[in-house]
Amino acid sequence: MSVVTRPNILFFFPDQHRFDWTGLNGDLPVRTPNLDRLTAQGTAFTNALCPSPLCAPSRASLAAGLEYPRCRVANNQQDYPLDQPTFYGMLRDGVDGIGGGYYVAGVGKFDLQKASSNHSLDGRALVAEWGFSDGIDNKGKWDAVASWDGQPHDPYLAYLDAHGLAQAHIDDMLRRKGRAYAETTSTPLPEEAYCDNWVADNGLQLLVDFATDRPWFLQVNFTGPHDPMDVTARMRERWEGVAFPRAHACEAFDDATRTRIRQNYAAMVENIDRHLGRYLDTIAARGELERTLVVYASDHGEMLGDHGAWGKSTYYHPSVGVPLVVAGPGVSAGRRYDGVVTLHDLAATFLEAAGVPVPGHMDSRSLWPVLEGLSQSHRDYVLSGLVTPRRAWHLVYDGRYKLVQIEGEGPILFDLQEDLWEDQNVAAARPAVVARLNEWLNRELA
């Protein structure tokens, strides 16, 4: 890495932002002006996959810098193991006495204690154990509702409760239960109390107090654009009358409801982008923008009705694909990289930027050779998968072909060059491709 090391690092990490809902996709009326600005100033990865299309395992894989089969969090019923190192702790403490010294902070939905949900009212229950110097960890949208027993059990509901808003929010969310997509009305919460706005404000409050003589890392974990489709009245009004392409192979709901779902999803994406602009302005006011690496990604995607599916947890690209943009010192400007990368490659990328050795046990590979324009290739293939008590599947993807192996079923092979929507299983017609990809997959699962 030729660039001067140890920049500040801002990591924007929304929940369930699918890969194609950014300004890079000219077929959608998505408004992401600040992300578009980062894209023009940096490198956009157009073929990035998450390690697992579910919150806890994807975030665990990133934190550990390990492939999903080795990250020790199979699904949302497992917490991140506290004896497993994180890149956060390595940024803070170094590796074998080398590097470290970063002030590592985070806000929002960490989802590293998804199973036990052992949150504290100040949001700091386990942030030090995960490797952070400070942070405010809140529950996700549905987890917060599930924990409510008349009393708050995380900092966001504690905030709402203190402002007399908790019960109205709980009642609204329970009304949406089972109708997370069909119910597209606005939240009763005022603008400042909307969860993503509250998360953004928490992060900005931490940021303005960061010391200027020490490098910092700040991860902002938004709860949106995860379902339900709850937006504020202001957010909703901005998308009235905006048309969207119809979901692929979707018969659920009527046309008006499908459009409203997409409008609300786009509104959540736009709102997060608005906060990105606020952070960039704050960093610029601190005089630090030129030495701050800015990264935007998501833990997994969102089907939005494609193939009749909603949410994530499946192997289709809208579920496993994620946006990934990197900008800042040393990064090639205005570049689109179409080779395959995986979300957990950010672990090694952050460590290398910080001058911290990447441990040999990590599967993560630094993106810096690509970011600096020194390499045209990064990986031959990437993996994703999900194992639950009901179903287990894994996939391997080489940038054109995606092989999916589902426990107890035959192989599924998609050719995304010829079949963008993954409608045709061509496994029987291309056995040599299946054999090649299967060899890679079995090697990783061994």
Side-chain angles (χ1 to χ4, degrees):
M1 181 178 172
S2 59
V3 68
V4 175
T5 59
R6 299 178 69 76
N8 301 317
I9 301 171
L10 172 66
F11 181 28
F12 253 49
F13 200 36
D15 187 356
Q16 213 155 298
H17 186 174
R18 64 183 268 169
F19 75 100
D20 54 349
W21 280 62
T22 73
L24 279 175
N25 186 354
D27 295 331
L28 292 171
V30 182
R31 303 170 190 153
T32 54
N34 295 295
L35 184 56
D36 295 350
R37 174 159 53 114
L38 283 187
T39 301
Q41 296 170 348
T43 297
F45 294 85
T46 62
N47 236 339
L49 262 61
C50 64
S52 178
L54 194 63
C55 302
S58 184
R59 291 166 184 267
S61 184
L62 168 62
L66 296 173
E67 296 284 8
Y68 168 68
R70 290 183 282 278
C71 79
R72 298 170 61 190
V73 179
N75 48 59
N76 283 350
Q77 282 67 56
Q78 294 175 304
D79 289 341
Y80 190 89
L82 296 182
D83 63 345
Q84 180 167 265
T86 66
F87 81 82
Y88 307 114
M90 296 172 200
L91 288 177
R92 185 188 65 187
D93 305 329
V95 174
D96 296 329
I98 302 175
Y102 268 67
Y103 190 82
V104 180
V107 293
K109 177 190 171 184
F110 289 57
D111 260 357
L112 296 177
Q113 52 171 325
K114 187 80 170 179
S116 64
S117 198
N118 184 31
H119 291 71
S120 58
L121 293 183
D122 67 357
R124 292 176 167 86
L126 289 173
V127 295
E129 288 83 348
W130 295 329
F132 291 86
S133 308
D134 194 11
I136 305 171
D137 173 32
N138 59 270
K139 297 175 185 286
K141 290 183 176 182
W142 294 114
D143 291 340
V145 174
S147 72
W148 178 259
D149 57 5
Q151 298 293 327
H153 296 282
D154 87 316
Y156 178 56
L157 278 182
Y159 164 84
L160 293 183
D161 194 47
H163 290 79
L165 298 168
Q167 194 60 57
H169 174 64
I170 294 297
D171 291 344
D172 178 62
M173 291 291 287
L174 291 177
R175 182 175 58 84
R176 299 175 190 271
K177 194 74 172 175
R179 294 173 49 82
Y181 292 88
E183 182 54 69
T184 59
T185 55
S186 302
T187 173
L189 295 176
E191 191 75 22
E192 69 277 6
Y194 185 65
C195 190
D196 279 348
N197 298 343
W198 175 83
V199 167
D201 287 346
N202 284 341
L204 285 170
Q205 289 170 14
L206 293 180
L207 173 59
V208 297
D209 290 332
F210 287 166
T212 56
D213 60 351
R214 178 183 180 186
W216 51 261
F217 171 96
L218 175 60
Q219 180 169 319
V220 187
N221 304 282
F222 291 98
T223 59
H226 194 292
D227 62 282
M229 300 293 105
D230 61 333
V231 296
T232 66
R234 177 195 63 82
M235 293 163 63
R236 180 184 173 92
E237 289 168 2
R238 287 182 53 80
W239 289 87
E240 292 290 351
V242 178
F244 283 86
R246 183 172 178 170
H248 177 73
C250 178
E251 300 301 326
F253 311 127
D254 56 32
D255 287 342
T257 301
R258 282 192 294 264
T259 297
R260 185 78 257 179
I261 290 169
R262 294 190 157 213
Q263 289 170 342
N264 284 14
Y265 185 80
M268 288 189 278
V269 169
E270 181 186 36
N271 190 54
I272 292 169
D273 185 84
R274 175 177 68 90
H275 291 305
L276 176 59
R278 296 176 66 205
Y279 275 74
L280 295 177
D281 289 346
T282 300
I283 294 169
R286 287 170 56 90
E288 297 177 331
L289 194 57
E290 297 303 315
R291 54 189 176 95
T292 299
L293 188 71
V294 183
V295 178
Y296 188 104
S298 183
D299 55 353
H300 50 72
E302 159 67 67
M303 291 301 295
L304 276 181
D306 291 334
H307 294 279
W310 305 90
K312 62 276 189 181
S313 301
T314 185
Y315 46 77
Y316 289 113
H317 242 56
S319 171
V320 297
V322 294
L324 177 55
V325 176
V326 182
V331 178
S332 298
R335 185 181 183 196
R336 290 179 56 151
Y337 179 75
D338 298 326
V340 292
V341 302
T342 180
L343 177 67
H344 69 65
D345 284 334
L346 288 177
T349 304
F350 292 144
L351 291 176
E352 185 174 353
V356 178
V358 179
H361 75 270
M362 275 192 173
D363 300 313
S364 180
R365 298 183 187 178
S366 173
L367 296 170
W368 277 105
V370 175
L371 292 172
E372 293 182 296
L374 303 177
S375 176
Q376 300 300 316
S377 63
H378 179 66
R379 289 179 178 271
D380 293 328
Y381 60 88
V382 291
L383 309 175
S384 191
L386 183 59
V387 177
T388 71
R390 293 182 295 176
R391 196 184 196 205
W393 62 264
H394 297 273
L395 72 79
V396 57
Y397 173 59
D398 69 0
R400 174 177 178 176
Y401 291 104
K402 179 195 288 187
L403 177 68
V404 183
Q405 294 286 13
I406 304 173
E407 187 175 294
E409 300 182 21
I412 300 172
L413 181 69
F414 296 123
D415 180 350
L416 275 81
Q417 180 174 298
E418 298 180 358
D419 176 24
L420 182 64
W421 286 109
E422 303 168 276
D423 288 324
Q424 302 297 322
N425 180 7
V426 296
R430 302 181 194 181
V433 176
V434 171
R436 172 172 61 87
L437 296 182
N438 206 42
E439 181 181 354
W440 287 340
L441 184 58
N442 288 336
R443 182 191 310 160
E444 296 289 350
L445 297 178

